[in-house]
Amino acid sequence: TLEDARSMEGIACNMDSPGFKALVDATAAVKGKATPYAITGSLPLVRKMQREGFDLQVTGYGLSKTYHADNEYCLLSDMKDAFKIL
């Protein structure tokens, strides 16, 4: 159905929003720099909330090289930094 197809929409974060700017600034303050980038995928509930007017940002501070790997892992030091940022 059309509703099923819409539920699998991807999202694009609004790079002009206050939330995005705050997240980039906080990341740069803790990590020394911030380099936003996109990984494709569908996040049905996130897109629905975005359509309803929420300023949503999707972020992660794990290791890109292990993203969705069979043996996915992260570093505790990165998670400590993420806690400071958020």
Side-chain angles (χ1 to χ4, degrees):
T1 68
L2 182 56
E3 185 56 35
D4 290 336
R6 283 193 177 136
S7 74
M8 295 308 292
E9 283 182 273
I11 70 159
C13 296
N14 179 354
M15 296 174 76
D16 294 323
S17 79
F20 181 83
K21 290 176 182 176
L23 190 57
V24 170
D25 290 346
T27 300
V30 172
K31 301 292 272 179
K33 68 176 184 169
T35 310
Y37 63 95
I39 296 177
T40 60
S42 60
L43 300 165
L45 296 176
V46 174
R47 179 63 182 122
K48 181 179 182 207
M49 291 176 70
Q50 189 182 48
R51 272 198 311 271
E52 292 175 8
F54 289 88
D55 178 9
L56 295 173
Q57 309 304 319
V58 181
T59 189
Y61 294 95
L63 299 171
S64 295
K65 68 181 179 183
T66 66
Y67 181 65
H68 285 291
D70 289 339
N71 225 5
E72 189 170 352
Y73 65 93
C74 64
L75 302 176
L76 183 57
S77 59
D78 289 336
M79 295 303 102
K80 287 180 179 179
D81 285 346
F83 185 79
K84 291 175 191 174
I85 292 163
L86 298 175

